[in-house]
Amino acid sequence: MNQNVTLISRSKYPLGKVIGQQASSYIKQLHERKGVNVIAGDTIKSIEGKNNIEQIVTNNGLKIDCDLLIIGIGTNFEAIKNVGNKKIEYNNQGYIVDKYGQTSVKDVYAVGDCAVWPYNNDLINVKHWENAYNQGKT
């Protein structure tokens, strides 16, 4: 596909809490061999761009050109509340999305543990890996 892909992980060992340090190192190296730029031990400080995302700036000062951003934040949905000057609507369980997964900000989507969506006149959230997997395929 000839796409540049960068993975930013706040942990020095991506997925280390789940699979351990040794397996994390193996997975990191596997991604790097496939051409993924893995930045471990850093986080996103800001998302830059006028009408569309253009660049990511990390807390360590790295500037990464970007035209698509996918954020995997698990259940820590309060980490991101704004996109530029636009506020993402959320409740105590996650970001409120429509039936397509789009948040209150156009072209910003949420799936999995951090998303709540309308179902039978209520907002629901299903915290299960299979749900997140299926929503991500959409």
Side-chain angles (χ1 to χ4, degrees), residues 39-109:
I39 299 170
D42 203 353
T43 57
I44 295 173
K45 179 179 182 180
S46 65
I47 301 168
E48 310 292 330
K50 293 197 181 234
N51 295 318
N52 296 306
I53 184 169
E54 296 173 8
Q55 189 176 67
I56 300 297
V57 180
T58 72
N59 281 311
N60 290 338
L62 291 172
K63 293 182 178 183
I64 303 164
D65 291 337
C66 179
D67 58 11
L68 174 66
L69 175 64
I70 300 172
I71 302 174
I73 57 174
T75 58
N76 185 16
F77 69 89
E78 292 181 345
I80 299 173
K81 297 180 182 177
N82 301 310
V83 175
N85 62 353
K86 299 174 184 167
K87 183 176 170 79
I88 299 176
E89 291 181 27
Y90 64 94
N91 67 13
N92 65 343
Q93 293 187 11
Y95 300 115
I96 299 171
V97 300
D98 64 16
K99 64 183 179 181
Y100 302 106
Q102 185 167 249
T103 67
S104 57
V105 177
K106 186 179 185 295
D107 294 330
V108 174
Y109 295 82

Side-chain angles (χ1 to χ4, degrees), residues 114-135:
C114 69
V116 295
W117 60 93
Y119 180 77
N120 286 342
N121 298 318
D122 200 3
L123 291 172
I124 65 167
N125 172 281
V126 178
K127 294 185 187 305
H128 189 272
W129 71 267
E130 192 170 22
N131 174 63
Y133 173 78
N134 288 325
Q135 286 178 336

